[in-house]
């Protein structure tokens, strides 16, 4: 099985290195990642300019582009064999609820699904852990062994690891959930450059969420491992049916 691994934290991040190291024990791994951090880029794709791509070896490349660019190059630039599965992560910080609309980690997995490849986005609530995300990578390996055949073509599964996993601390603590409702409170710092021209920088954003049952937030804060299947079709089917019946 050929795995394409990418991320949005950049080639030097510990999470992607852990995935490559651990998953390489059981699968053919092909890594292509952004040269630098490309967080909060969703599904941005470079179209009107070229990208510099550096070959490290036959299985490992760096691209000066976005996470989606990396997946696209990995699938279509004829640098790798046919890819069977896309994994994006391990992200430094969680991607739950409405975060999936912004996340470059999830965006890369969505791009794999857009092209018919089963895809997994992986994030962790541990920030720069001493073990370099070895724990999460081992759990992703166990997850693949148990669930990879359940992920359908064109589907994205969004997986988040809490800092402390309850119970056995294994993949048996996984819970299938729906996306929760994230609440954002934003603050900008303003710096005047000249009269009529200012620089605005987003700073001091606060993240919250609604307390609801069955969501990724609920499972995560109970120490469980939430995984949410996501589809690309954003049509609100119940509303569409209501409108068509009028």
């Amino acid at each position: 099985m050929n795995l394409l691994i990418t991320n949005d934290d950049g080639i030097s991040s510990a999470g992607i290195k852990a995935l490559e190291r651990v998953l390489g024990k059981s699968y053919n791994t092909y890594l292509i990642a952004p040269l630098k951090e490309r967080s909060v880029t969703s599904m941005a794709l470079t179209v009107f300019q070229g990208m510099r791509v550096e070959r490290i070896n036959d299985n490992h490349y760096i691209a000066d582009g976005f996470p989606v660019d990396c997946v696209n190059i990995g699938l279509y630039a004829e640098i790798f064999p046919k890819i069977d599965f896309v994994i994006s992560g391990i992200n430094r910080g969680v991607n739950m609820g409405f975060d999936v609309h912004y996340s470059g980690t999830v965006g890369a997995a969505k791009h794999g699904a857009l092209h018919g490849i089963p895809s997994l986005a992986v994030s962790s609530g541990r920030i720069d852990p001493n073990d370099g995300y070895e724990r999460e990578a081992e759990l992703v390996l166990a997850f693949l062994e148990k669930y990879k055949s359940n992920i359908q073509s064109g589907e994205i599964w969004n997986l988040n690891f809490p800092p402390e996993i309850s119970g056995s601390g294994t993949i048996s603590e996984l819970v299938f959930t729906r996306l929760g409702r994230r609440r954002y409170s934003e603050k900008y710092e303003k710096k005047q450059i000249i009269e009529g021209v200012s620089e605005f920088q987003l700073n001091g954003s606060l993240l919250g969420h609604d307390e609801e049952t069955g969501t990724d937030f609920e499972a995560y804060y109970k120490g469980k491992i939430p995984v949410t299947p996501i589809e690309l079709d954003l049509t609100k089917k119940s509303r569409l049916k209501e409108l068509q019946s009028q």
Side-chain angles (χ1 to χ4, degrees):
M1 185 174 183
N2 295 331
L3 305 182
L4 177 64
I5 303 174
T6 193
N7 73 350
D8 73 353
D9 288 328
I11 192 66
S12 61
S13 72
I16 198 169
K17 292 177 181 177
L19 280 181
E20 184 180 36
R21 182 172 59 251
V22 172
L23 299 184
K25 300 173 184 177
S26 302
Y27 299 97
N28 301 319
T29 58
Y30 299 92
L31 186 149
I32 178 166
L35 174 64
K36 56 188 176 182
E37 182 172 346
R38 294 290 194 175
S39 298
V40 202
T41 56
S42 188
M43 293 186 72
L45 178 67
T46 303
V47 176
F48 299 110
Q49 61 189 52
M51 279 176 291
R52 180 174 177 175
V53 177
E54 180 180 353
R55 175 186 176 277
I56 305 303
N57 56 49
D58 286 348
N59 293 37
H60 195 129
Y61 284 74
I62 305 170
D64 190 10
F66 299 107
V68 165
D69 290 320
C70 293
V71 174
N72 220 37
I73 292 168
L75 295 180
Y76 295 112
E78 299 181 352
I79 59 173
F80 298 143
K82 183 179 182 299
I83 297 299
D84 302 305
F85 201 101
V86 171
I87 300 182
S88 181
I90 300 167
N91 192 65
R92 182 178 176 270
V94 297
N95 283 296
M96 296 191 295
F98 295 167
D99 295 344
V100 300
H101 296 293
Y102 296 106
S103 168
T105 301
V106 178
K110 286 168 70 177
H111 192 71
L114 189 68
H115 292 270
I117 312 295
S119 300
L120 175 69
V122 184
S123 304
S124 173
R126 295 199 300 161
I127 307 299
D128 301 325
N130 292 331
D131 71 347
Y133 296 103
E134 192 81 11
R135 181 198 74 172
E136 285 85 349
E138 291 288 353
L139 289 170
V140 170
L141 179 61
F143 174 90
L144 288 176
E145 290 304 302
K146 186 171 183 178
Y147 292 107
K148 66 177 183 289
S149 61
N150 292 91
I151 303 178
Q152 298 175 4
S153 174
E155 231 175 38
I156 313 103
W157 284 21
N158 186 42
L159 177 65
N160 285 275
F161 291 109
E164 299 295 332
I165 300 173
S166 64
S168 64
T170 67
I171 207 67
S172 64
E173 301 301 322
L174 183 145
V175 178
F176 289 99
T177 64
R178 61 184 174 88
L179 294 177
R181 183 179 294 273
R182 174 71 88 185
R183 297 295 181 181
Y184 302 93
S185 179
E186 314 286 17
K187 180 181 178 180
Y188 279 90
E189 290 187 358
K190 178 182 178 181
K191 178 181 178 182
Q192 186 167 325
I193 300 173
I194 59 174
E195 185 177 354
V197 180
S198 300
E199 178 182 276
F200 287 79
Q201 181 171 348
L202 185 61
N203 192 6
S205 299
L206 297 175
L207 301 180
H209 65 276
D210 288 357
E211 300 288 344
E212 300 174 292
T213 60
T215 68
D216 46 5
F217 290 111
E218 180 193 44
Y220 178 88
Y221 287 109
K222 287 183 176 180
K224 300 297 183 181
I225 305 170
V227 60
T228 304
I230 300 172
E231 62 180 352
L232 295 167
D233 183 357
L234 298 180
T235 306
K236 188 172 183 180
K237 297 179 178 63
S238 60
R239 180 67 170 146
L240 177 62
K241 185 176 181 180
E242 175 189 333
L243 292 168
Q244 289 174 334
S245 66
Q246 290 179 359

